Each structure stands twice: as C-alpha cells, then as structure tokens.
Amino acid sequence: MKVLKFGGTSVANAQNIKLVLDIVLHKAKQDKLVVVVSAFTKVTDLLVLASQKAASNDESFKEVVAEIEKKHLDAIKELIPVSEQSSSLSHIKRIINHLETLLEGCYLLGELSPRTSDTILSFGELLSSYIIAEALKQHHKNSSYKDSRELIKTNTNFGKAAVNFEISNSLIADYFASNEAQIVIMPGFIASTFDGIGTTLGRGGSDYSAAIIAAALDATELEIWTDVNGMFTANPKVVKQAQPIATISYQEAMELSHFGAKVLYPPTIQPVLRKNIPIWIKNTFEPEAEGTYISSQDTSHTNPVKGISHIDHITLITLEGPGMIGVAGSSKRLFEVLSHENINVIFITQASSEHSICIGILDSDAEKAEKAINKAFEIEISQNKIESCIVEKKLCIIALVGENMKNHQGLSGRMFSTLGKNNVNIRAIAQGASERNISAVINERDVKKALNTLHENFFEENTKQLNLFVMGVGNVGEKFIEQINQQKKFLKENLKINLRVVAVSNSRKMYFDEDGIPLKEWQSLLENGETANKETFIEKVKALNLRNSIFVDITANEAVSQTYSNYLKQNIAVVTCNKIACSSAYDNYSSLKQLSRKYNAPFLFETNVGAGLPIIDTLKHLIASGDKVNKIQAVLSGSLNFIFNNFDEKNSFHDVVKEAGFQGFTEPDPKIDLSGVDVARKILILIRESGYKMEIEDIKNNSFLPMECISTTNNDDFFKSLIANAAHFENLLAEAKAKDSRLKFVATFENGKAGVGLEFIPKESPFYNLEGKDNIVQFYTDRYIDQPLLIKGAGAGAAVTASGIFADVIRIGNI
C-alpha cells in the first residue's frame, strides 16, 4: 500500500484536481492507495480571517464565508456531471451552514476559543476531501471516503494537538484491515480527542496526517505531491540557480525542513523514519519529473552539502555579564523562562568563557521574551552582575545542511570566507557535534546575497556570477556591452564566470533589471527607462544588494568619480576608465585605496593609463615583488600621438583634431587632451602607483597651446581658436622637420620631479617610430637600470579601452 498526500496548490481548483485524479488513477492500477488531501489553496487563510472578523464583531465574515462557499460549489460544477450534482451541492451547503452557525456564535460572544478555532479550521479539509472523493467516484467505483477524525486521536492541545500513536495506530490498522476499497480519500490536518472533539495538527499538518497513516499501515512509500520538483538546494524563489535534490537522508530532510524548506512539514518525517518508510516529494504539475527521494541512507556522496536554507524574521537575544561565569543554573533559568512563555528557541550559542549566552527566536516573540528575561534576572541586573538582555531584530538564520559534512574539512571556513568576501556580517554561529548543520545569524537585508553566494560556491561548479552596474554607455560603453555579449558564453564555459549587466545609465536615462538586462535590447530598454540620477542609481544598487556587484564607470564625469566611496563602503567593486578620482587630491586617492582594502571591494583602473595596455598591472607586480621605480618616460596620450602623427602640410591641425574626435580618440572635450591635463593625470597615477606621494599641481605642464586656445570655454570656440592659430602649429611642424625630429607629447618623472610637454624626438629615440594612436612607457627601476622595461601598444580608441575595462572585470571574477 502507498500513501499519497496532495497539498493546497495541487487541489487549488477543479483544473488542478483533475491532474490529481489522473495521478491517483494511474497509481491505483498497481497499488492500493490512501490519498490524503489538504484544503483548497487559501481556504485555511480565509477561515482564519472569517473567525477573526466574527470574534471582532465584524459582520463582513459573511462575505468571506460566501467566498469559501462559491469556491467549493464551482469546483463541484466542473468535476461532477450535472445529473449527479444535486446531492453533492446539498452536502456542501449543509457544511457551509454549519460553519456559518459556528461563526455566528463567535460573533455573538465576541470571542474565539482555541477549541472553536480548531473546529472552524477543520472545514477546509472536510470540504476539499468530500469533493475530491465524489469526483473520484465518477472514474473509479472501488473508492471510498474516511474522516480522519475517526482514526487519528490526540490530546486537547488545540491548535497543535499531540497524537496518541498507540490508539491511532490501532484504529487505522483495524479500519484498513476490513476496508476493501482500492482508493481511500481522507482529509489531512484534522483529528479528534477521545471524546470526539475536533483538533488540528498544526499548519502543514496534512503532511503529518499522511505520515501517521503510512507508519500505521507499514506503507511501502509515502508520496508528498506539491507544486515543485522536490526539495531544492536552496529556495528557488530566492536562488534562481537552485537545483532539485535527487536523494537525501531523513536527517538532512528534517534539517532543511526546519530551516524553511516549505515543501515538507518538519514533524512529517518522524513517524515514517521509525518504520524506515521512504518519502517521495513529487510535483503534481510535472508528475514525470524525478522529484526527491528521502530514505534512511543517502547514497549520493558527490557533494557533502545537500542544501542551503534559512529562517526569516529572527531576533537575537544576548544575556551576558560577569555574574554568569562559573554560576551553575544560569542557562537553566533562561530556558525555563522562555518555556513558561511558550517561546520556541531556534538557535543557541554560548561562549566557552560562560560570560554570555545567545539565543535566536522569532521576531514576534521578541518583546515578550525581553520582558520575561529581564524580570527573571532583575536582581542580578540591579547588582550589575548581568546586563539587561540585548535584543537585535531584523535578522535571519542561514544554514548549510549535509549528512557528510563531518567527513570534509574546511567547510566552515569556506562558508564564512565566502560570506566575508561579499561583506555579509555574521552576528552569531552555531554548529552541532554531528556537523550536519552549520548555522549563522546575519542581517535580514543580506539573506538573498548570502544564499546566492553560498549556492554559487557549493553547487554551481565554481561558476561566479558578476553583477555589473554600468554608468556611461557612449562609444566606449557601447563597445564594452558588445564585448560582454560576444564573450558571455565563452566566459561561462571556460572561466566559470557568469556576467550579468543589471543596470545601464547615460546622462539622461537609467534602466535596471535584477535578472540581467537582455544585451541585444539594452538600448531600447534604456531609452524607455527612468530619468537618470546618480543618487537614485546608488540607492538602487544598494537596495538590490547583489553578490559580486561591480560599478563600472565609463564616463569622464567628476561628479560620478566622487561617488566611488559610496560603492566601496557597500562592498561593491569599482572598475573605471575615469581618471579624475585617481588624479584628484592624494588624500582622496589614498582613501579610496584604503576603502577597497577595508571592505574587500576591488578598485581597478587599468584603463586610466594606456587604455587596454597592461601598464598599471605590470607596475603593481613590480612594486609587489620589491622593485623600485626611479624614472618614467612615456608617451601616454593615444589621441595626441594620433594627432601629431597625422598632422602634416596636407592636413591642418584643426582637421586632424576633428578627425581624432570622430574616431573616438579624444575626450568629449578635446581640450583636456590637447592642454596636457589628461597626460598629467596619467603620469600622476603612475607616480602614485609607484609608491610616491604627489599632487597634480606638482607636475609641470609645458603646454604647446596658445593662451587663446586654453582660455576657451566650449568646443566650438576651441576649434575656432585652432583655426585662428594655425600658423603657430605649422611653425611647430616646420621646426620638427628642420631638426629631423617628430613631435611627441612626453611625460617624465625623475628625481621626484615630473613634467609633461611637447618634445622634438630624434630618430634614435624609441619614441620616434611610435605610430598611429600608440602609447609607450619606459620604467627604469632598481632591476631595470640600463635597459628599461618597455610597454608599447594602442593607447586610445573605444574598442581597446572597452577591452581594458573588460579585463579589469575579469580580474575581479578571478579573485
């Protein structure tokens, strides 16, 4: 014999009940069945609402009853032929009339006793089981209905009655010994006392009813049919990558169900565990799916961690003080107080010094617990031997669960390291000697990030998901997103990095999608997004609180650069090609580096110098290995190099600068490049990364621009000034030809001094043949004395700059 239990979603309506009947009829071809059913979805909640309204003298309870009645009458009309509906409709109306009479009593008395509440709540299962039994008779004549209250006997603890297994087992065995029906339908959740007074087994008690019956009959299997494909490695509503668990032990299933795996009611396992009866968790809507098989021995040992679960709405209460050290009975007194107040303790941890004890309870019990504990220890508190209890709300317990965790070293370290890297603060830790469960208390706002981070680490083949928030989607930004879209599959398959662009923004609009923006549609989505606002953007990033978050700044905006600290303090990495932050005041540059270290949030800016060239990265490795930079010579402006390489007698200076802008080699304001400010910022960044303290004012800027060009305030006037001063630029070109040299804008650093300016480069210099938009840097160090370390390559352009930003993102993914 098999016992099948169908939950509320499985019997939500006539359409779903038809699926249930298909499953039952198919199973009945091979086995005798007991089918235990829950109330229709939301009906128990409606019954609770109706009883509360009635007890509060609110006549609208009648409207709730009418809704319940309609729901069940509609089901009969769809499931049973019209010619046979009459008796069923009459029966349902009689039950509803009885319900309404009870509620009228509550209304008149203005109260709701636990006993009456249990009687009212039982109507959900009584209605659903009757309708399903009548519908089944239309397809299978050898079926019957049995009221569970006649077989399952309990005490009078209304609301969560304790089962008398000796009597219940005997009644169940006797009934089924004489019952010849192939299928028996029974209501779950409900039972009765020895005097026949109705009781309930607690919310989720239909699972428990089914387990009681399965154990009493020594059933071959207990099948729990629900709306998901079994137990999952994490809550799939929170962790989208969660996977069904194929096999799991009783103990692991109990741990996961305790920690919120709602497909299974925690007490369910106990009756069948004693009889070693396996449990299947199956999906009513995908009956062919494998589901989860729960038994005494889990044969799957591929992953020591079976699941990650959590409990929301936790309050942490800490009792501490010197008066607890070496004093016997402090813990006993604490737990007695909580027991008397009927407060369930979910989490316990105590320091070995005995100075403090910490417990986790539900938020709803916090105020009651605080008052009771302070009252119980009021003498010690008045004597300053113990502090008033410390109450911390809005917390959550997360737990790793696995039978085989005890056989694997380092799992705790791996768990806490993973959380720490994502700035998830741990308030308390507990681990039993069985090592089947490692629990930690964290802030409620971090639960989604924590669960996803842990799931990624333990279940996703070390695939790391990076969540990108991109500000600035002009030429470089567009290329950057294009490169992500092109390489996304490669990165996931080869580097185990899953890139998601969660937000994009330009100066006008911004658009967010927590599940990742479809990259082929990002432009149209952005165009229809909300109005751009830097502060709102930051708040949205914080509110999402996603793991491995990276803010990518692809602007040249000073105000944007001033927001970096807001991100770093939230453990959000920053990748930027914007040079302003790292070339700002040294204290700001230093502060950003310190925040990066303090909050374990990478701050990468490789593209600040040399676009996609690995200049800063190489410099970091030199310094980290103990080398010292003594001298730097460099051509650091790809745009200026392009301009002077293309400026000749046939192409005016004005026209070449215009062309450089069209090709995306200059900043939106070309004067930043031509004035030498951009190059000064770049050499300053290299100097600082070399370990020297310097400000931008310390760098001598020998500008080649006439004062008329420098003093312009907009691009139109600037380009007009280039035409007006054409002779000046032509003279520079003529002088270079006379000296058999080429014009290069060079940055230098030596003996603590730095400068930038236009130079006449002779043929023997390595800078002479620097073509196109290329950059070149020479580092003279303690190790590279006579022959400098030289880095050379394209130093401007949207594609190469985007690839440099992309490379920084990948570096974070590989950390």
Side-chain angles (χ1 to χ4, degrees):
M1 181 175 283
K2 290 185 178 180
V3 177
L4 281 61
K5 178 264 174 180
F6 290 90
T9 52
S10 298
V11 295
N13 49 48
Q15 183 180 351
N16 290 5
I17 291 170
K18 288 175 183 177
L19 297 176
V20 169
L21 295 178
D22 287 342
I23 293 167
V24 170
L25 291 170
H26 176 73
K27 295 271 183 182
K29 291 176 183 177
Q30 295 180 328
D31 299 284
K32 275 193 165 188
L33 304 179
V34 180
V35 179
V36 178
V37 297
S38 297
F40 290 3
T41 297
K42 304 296 182 186
V43 167
T44 303
D45 291 334
L46 289 172
L47 289 166
V48 170
L49 178 63
S51 58
Q52 290 173 342
K53 284 177 176 288
S56 302
N57 298 118
D58 182 348
E59 284 193 350
S60 65
F61 76 85
K62 294 177 181 178
E63 296 171 11
V64 181
V65 173
E67 183 180 349
I68 295 170
E69 181 178 18
K70 183 178 184 304
K71 186 184 285 279
H72 292 88
L73 293 179
D74 287 349
I76 287 176
K77 290 170 184 176
E78 284 194 55
L79 292 168
I80 298 174
V82 176
S83 60
E84 299 182 33
Q85 286 179 8
S86 178
S87 63
S88 297
L89 292 172
S90 298
H91 184 82
I92 293 299
K93 287 184 176 181
R94 281 197 299 275
I95 295 176
I96 294 295
N97 288 338
H98 184 196
L99 170 63
E100 197 158 16
T101 300
L102 287 171
L103 291 169
E104 287 280 5
C106 294
Y107 177 81
L108 293 171
L109 291 171
E111 67 175 20
L112 178 68
S113 70
R115 173 176 169 173
T116 304
S117 177
D118 264 13
T119 303
I120 291 170
L121 293 184
S122 70
F123 279 82
E125 275 70 17
L126 291 172
L127 288 164
S128 67
S129 59
Y130 172 79
I131 291 171
I132 292 167
E134 290 301 302
L136 181 61
K137 287 178 184 177
Q138 309 304 314
H139 306 279
H140 199 294
K141 299 303 178 185
N142 191 19
S143 62
S144 65
Y145 173 81
K146 184 63 176 176
D147 189 337
S148 303
R149 294 175 296 184
E150 297 174 18
L151 303 182
I152 300 176
K153 297 299 178 180
T154 69
N155 64 8
T156 56
N157 184 20
F158 298 104
K160 195 175 181 181
V163 175
N164 184 312
F165 281 97
E166 185 178 351
I167 294 174
S168 299
N169 288 346
S170 177
L171 290 171
I172 293 167
D174 289 346
Y175 172 75
F176 282 96
S178 60
N179 185 284
E180 296 182 358
Q182 187 72 9
I183 308 168
V184 178
I185 304 292
M186 299 179 67
F189 177 59
I190 61 175
S192 70
T193 66
F194 309 121
D195 300 329
I197 300 167
T199 58
T200 61
L201 303 177
R203 294 300 290 265
S206 291
D207 286 354
Y208 194 27
S209 300
I212 293 165
I213 294 163
L217 297 176
D218 290 315
T220 54
E221 280 181 0
L222 167 60
E223 296 181 5
I224 307 290
W225 290 82
T226 181
D227 57 356
V228 291
N229 292 336
M231 300 188 85
F232 277 68
T233 49
N235 185 341
K237 292 179 181 177
V238 180
V239 180
K240 305 240 182 266
Q241 290 78 24
Q243 309 149 14
I245 302 170
T247 62
I248 191 170
S249 72
Y250 290 125
Q251 288 76 16
E252 290 169 328
M254 279 194 287
E255 292 281 0
L256 284 176
S257 61
H258 171 71
F259 278 90
K262 298 190 180 357
V263 296
L264 192 65
Y265 182 55
T268 297
I269 298 171
Q270 287 294 347
V272 291
L273 184 152
R274 288 193 289 268
K275 292 290 188 73
N276 201 21
I277 298 169
I279 303 173
W280 272 106
I281 309 293
K282 300 282 283 181
N283 188 345
T284 304
F285 309 101
E286 289 185 49
E288 301 306 315
E290 185 178 359
T292 298
Y293 185 73
I294 306 170
S295 63
S296 58
Q297 187 78 34
D298 172 23
T299 56
S300 173
H301 300 298
T302 54
N303 190 339
V305 179
K306 267 301 165 74
I308 304 164
S309 201
H310 71 291
I311 306 176
D312 290 321
H313 310 304
I314 293 296
T315 291
L316 209 58
I317 295 185
T318 303
L319 188 67
E320 63 180 21
M324 294 177 65
I325 300 173
V327 177
S330 296
S331 300
K332 176 177 178 290
R333 288 172 62 195
L334 173 63
F335 292 117
E336 275 184 347
V337 169
L338 297 171
S339 177
H340 289 153
E341 295 293 331
N342 201 26
I343 295 171
N344 183 37
V345 177
I346 301 168
F347 177 98
I348 305 168
T349 185
Q350 182 173 16
S352 58
S353 66
E354 300 181 48
H355 181 263
S356 68
I357 186 167
C358 183
I359 59 166
I361 61 174
L362 291 174
D363 284 343
S364 56
D365 291 327
E367 188 176 343
K368 182 167 60 170
E370 182 181 11
K371 288 179 181 177
I373 294 169
N374 285 338
K375 181 172 177 57
F377 290 89
E378 60 183 346
I379 295 175
E380 289 89 344
I381 292 171
S382 67
Q383 295 173 347
N384 295 320
K385 292 180 178 180
I386 292 177
E387 303 291 331
S388 296
C389 63
I390 302 166
V391 179
E392 300 170 83
K393 293 185 178 181
K394 294 185 178 179
L395 301 173
C396 172
I397 299 174
I398 55 171
L400 289 189
V401 173
E403 187 72 35
N404 293 307
M405 293 198 313
K406 59 191 172 189
N407 300 320
H408 290 75
Q409 295 179 341
L411 287 177
S412 298
R414 187 173 160 192
M415 175 184 179
F416 301 132
S417 172
T418 300
L419 294 174
K421 285 178 181 177
N422 275 274
N423 203 35
V424 176
N425 187 36
I426 296 170
R427 301 292 304 114
I429 299 166
Q431 180 175 10
S434 70
E435 298 184 46
R436 191 181 293 128
N437 175 316
I438 306 171
S439 303
V441 179
I442 63 172
N443 194 301
E444 206 168 63
R445 70 180 294 272
D446 288 329
V447 65
K448 183 174 182 180
K449 178 163 68 172
L451 290 173
N452 278 278
T453 300
L454 291 171
H455 193 274
E456 184 177 78
N457 191 289
F458 286 99
F459 291 102
E460 296 175 37
E461 296 182 351
N462 294 321
T463 298
K464 179 182 278 190
Q465 181 173 288
L466 303 182
N467 296 294
L468 309 185
F469 300 84
V470 182
M471 185 168 285
V473 284
N475 289 338
V476 177
E478 187 173 340
K479 289 290 183 184
F480 175 64
I481 294 175
E482 187 180 299
Q483 290 173 8
I484 291 174
N485 194 34
Q486 176 186 319
Q487 291 298 105
K488 191 168 182 175
K489 184 178 179 183
F490 172 86
L491 292 172
K492 194 166 185 178
E493 290 177 355
N494 294 276
L495 299 184
K496 301 300 181 187
I497 293 173
N498 180 24
L499 279 184
R500 293 196 319 170
V501 177
V502 176
V504 288
S505 177
N506 57 24
S507 59
R508 297 178 297 104
K509 298 281 187 177
M510 61 184 187
Y511 179 78
F512 283 75
D513 186 338
E514 183 179 353
D515 295 325
I517 296 171
L519 297 186
K520 291 182 179 179
E521 305 169 30
W522 73 268
Q523 287 163 312
S524 61
L525 291 169
L526 176 61
E527 195 59 35
N528 294 298
E530 60 187 295
T531 303
N533 180 286
K534 290 187 294 296
E535 288 71 30
T536 305
F537 192 93
I538 292 170
E539 291 310 310
K540 280 181 171 284
V541 175
K542 287 181 183 178
L544 285 173
N545 198 24
L546 299 175
R547 68 195 187 282
N548 306 322
S549 291
I550 304 174
F551 173 64
V552 183
D553 178 15
I554 315 180
T555 74
N557 188 292
E558 183 175 3
V560 175
S561 75
Q562 292 170 349
T563 65
Y564 295 170
S565 61
N566 294 313
Y567 293 104
L568 295 172
K569 287 175 182 176
Q570 297 296 319
N571 182 240
I572 297 167
V574 174
V575 169
T576 180
C577 62
N578 186 342
K579 293 173 278 291
I580 295 174
C582 288
S583 59
S584 62
Y586 183 85
D587 286 346
N588 183 56
Y589 160 83
S590 178
S591 172
L592 291 174
K593 302 277 276 190
Q594 288 171 6
L595 287 173
S596 172
R597 289 188 291 270
K598 179 178 179 180
Y599 293 99
N600 195 31
F603 175 42
L604 301 183
F605 43 90
E606 183 66 67
T607 48
N608 277 196
V609 182
L613 294 176
I615 296 171
I616 293 175
D617 195 49
T618 302
L619 180 55
K620 284 180 178 178
H621 288 307
L622 285 176
I623 302 303
S625 67
D627 204 353
K628 180 183 178 185
V629 175
N630 302 311
K631 179 181 176 181
I632 303 172
Q633 287 182 312
V635 173
L636 295 173
S637 175
S639 52
L640 283 174
N641 201 42
F642 175 87
I643 289 167
F644 285 113
N645 281 336
N646 288 278
F647 173 41
D648 55 26
E649 293 85 352
K650 298 177 183 178
N651 300 291
S652 71
F653 192 76
H654 165 274
D655 290 347
V656 174
V657 174
K658 275 279 188 183
E659 180 62 24
F662 290 143
Q663 294 198 28
F665 296 152
T666 65
E667 299 286 353
D669 177 1
K671 191 169 67 174
I672 294 174
D673 294 288
L674 274 70
S675 66
V677 170
D678 188 59
V679 176
R681 286 172 175 166
K682 290 176 179 178
I683 191 66
L684 176 63
I685 292 167
L686 293 182
I687 292 166
R688 288 175 171 178
E689 289 296 296
S690 299
Y692 297 94
K693 183 175 180 179
M694 187 175 282
E695 302 289 356
I696 192 75
E697 297 81 12
D698 300 328
I699 298 174
K700 187 176 181 182
N701 186 347
N702 300 307
S703 177
F704 65 90
L705 289 177
M707 187 54 65
E708 181 185 346
C709 300
I710 294 173
S711 60
T712 58
T713 56
N714 58 67
N715 283 0
D716 287 343
D717 289 345
F718 178 71
F719 280 110
K720 288 176 184 176
S721 74
L722 294 184
I723 296 172
N725 289 275
H728 167 75
F729 301 114
E730 289 166 3
N731 288 337
L732 288 173
L733 181 63
E735 185 178 352
K737 284 190 174 293
K739 293 180 177 180
D740 199 19
S741 300
R742 298 181 76 176
L743 291 169
K744 303 290 178 187
F745 199 86
V746 180
T748 59
F749 168 72
E750 188 174 11
N751 298 324
K753 295 182 179 180
V756 298
L758 194 64
E759 295 185 12
F760 299 97
I761 303 298
K763 287 185 177 180
E764 59 271 18
S765 169
F767 292 4
Y768 183 86
N769 291 313
L770 197 64
E771 299 297 335
K773 58 184 181 296
D774 286 0
N775 280 190
I776 187 170
V777 180
Q778 294 184 143
F779 291 114
Y780 291 85
T781 74
D782 286 352
R783 294 174 189 156
Y784 294 89
I785 300 171
D786 300 321
Q787 293 294 324
L789 173 63
L790 187 147
I791 301 169
K792 177 182 176 183
V800 292
T801 304
S803 70
I805 296 166
F806 201 162
D808 272 348
V809 169
I810 301 307
R811 284 187 182 94
I812 293 174
N814 287 326
I815 291 174

